């Protein structure tokens, strides 16, 4: 290689990369060259956090237009609430709920491609994360009746919804030997 080219590139490599906005060395990984799913972490989903406005433009921008968004309205504690659902074709992949300030407060993940930093994703078995439900999990109620909700060992902001077969009452925690084969059917991030 021509020595002049090397001399021109060295200063950029030493100092230039640190000044390029939004540059990440992880973006150089071949796994990121063709896009990919955002990661669910303690701070939120990819670049979506509790500071993100709950509006279509903001969500589309942070999701890189990877989903088709549709707006919905519902009731919570006697108040009308707005939410957005992210669709892949006809399949619901994500749901975003907001607070009174119009910021994202809760994210529900049903997209099998989304993982946590530890690699946890939909389909991960209970036994891969927990030995026992005690002190980690509770019986699901309301929309989650028949499921078990467990606090992620990675983050206090992430919960896992486990589903599986259980012949007992939906209001009773299944025994640990039954739970070990249950799998994550939904991951939930909450700002609180």
């Amino acid at each position: 290689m021509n020595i002049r080219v090397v001399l021109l590139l060295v200063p950029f490599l030493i100092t230039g990369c640190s000044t390029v906005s939004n540059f990440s060395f992880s973006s150089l990984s071949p796994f990121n060259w063709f896009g990919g799913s955002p990661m669910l972490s303690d701070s939120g989903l990819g670049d979506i956090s509790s500071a993100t406005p709950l509006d279509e433009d903001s969500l589309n921008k942070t999701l890189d237009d990877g989903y088709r968004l549709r707006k919905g309205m519902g009731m919570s504690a006697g108040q009308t609430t707005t939410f957005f659902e992210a669709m892949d074709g006809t399949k619901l992949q994500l749901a975003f709920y907001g607070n009174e300030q119009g910021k994202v407060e809760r994210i529900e993940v049903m997209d099998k491609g989304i993982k946590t930093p530890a690699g946890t994703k939909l389909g991960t078995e209970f036994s891969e994360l927990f030995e026992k439900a005690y002190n980690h999990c509770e019986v699901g109620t309301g929309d989650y009746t028949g499921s078990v909700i467990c606090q992620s060992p990675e983050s206090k902001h992430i919960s896992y919804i486990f589903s599986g077969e259980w012949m007992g009452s939906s209001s009773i925690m299944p025994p640990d030997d039954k739970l070990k084969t249950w799998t994550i059917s939904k991951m939930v991030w909450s700002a609180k």
Side-chain angles (χ1 to χ4, degrees):
M1 179 181 264
N2 187 331
I3 191 75
R4 282 184 268 182
V5 173
V6 171
L7 290 175
L8 288 172
L9 289 176
V10 168
F12 174 74
L13 292 172
I14 293 172
T15 61
C17 291
S18 65
T19 61
V20 177
S21 65
N22 296 327
F23 178 81
S24 168
F25 283 101
S26 66
S27 65
L28 298 175
S29 168
F31 296 109
N32 294 319
W33 291 352
F34 306 105
S37 298
M39 186 169 289
L40 185 67
S41 67
D42 191 59
S43 59
L45 178 66
D47 292 332
I48 299 173
S49 69
S50 59
T52 305
L54 186 69
D55 63 59
E56 190 167 354
D57 288 340
S58 298
L59 294 174
N60 266 329
K61 186 186 298 182
T62 52
L63 291 170
D64 294 327
D65 296 314
Y67 303 89
R68 178 178 54 84
L69 289 179
R70 66 181 183 188
K71 185 177 182 179
M73 302 202 61
M75 294 293 286
S76 176
Q79 301 288 329
T80 302
T81 60
T82 301
F83 61 89
F84 284 89
E85 295 178 328
M87 309 293 291
D88 181 8
T90 59
K91 191 167 183 184
L92 177 62
Q93 300 286 9
L94 302 165
F96 301 93
Y97 301 89
N99 57 25
E100 298 85 24
Q101 291 78 36
K103 304 289 185 183
V104 173
E105 183 175 59
R106 179 180 168 89
I107 304 169
E108 295 183 352
V109 176
M110 290 75 67
D111 185 332
K112 292 180 180 178
I114 294 176
K115 299 178 182 179
T116 68
T120 305
K121 60 182 181 173
L122 269 63
T124 298
E125 287 192 350
F126 180 90
S127 61
E128 292 179 47
L129 301 171
F130 305 101
E131 289 183 23
K132 298 183 176 299
Y134 183 72
N135 273 348
H136 302 286
C137 308
E138 60 186 41
V139 175
T141 59
D143 291 342
Y144 300 123
T145 299
S147 300
V148 170
I149 304 169
C150 301
Q151 183 66 53
S152 166
E154 295 177 61
S155 167
K156 66 176 185 161
H157 294 284
I158 300 173
S159 298
Y160 302 129
I161 313 301
F162 286 93
S163 300
E165 292 194 23
W166 162 239
M167 302 305 283
S169 169
S170 61
S171 62
I172 298 174
M173 179 72 70
D176 294 321
D177 65 328
K178 289 284 184 195
L179 279 177
K180 68 181 180 182
T181 59
W182 282 33
T183 58
I184 296 175
S185 56
K186 185 183 286 188
M187 298 188 292
V188 179
W189 175 86
S190 178
K192 293 181 179 178

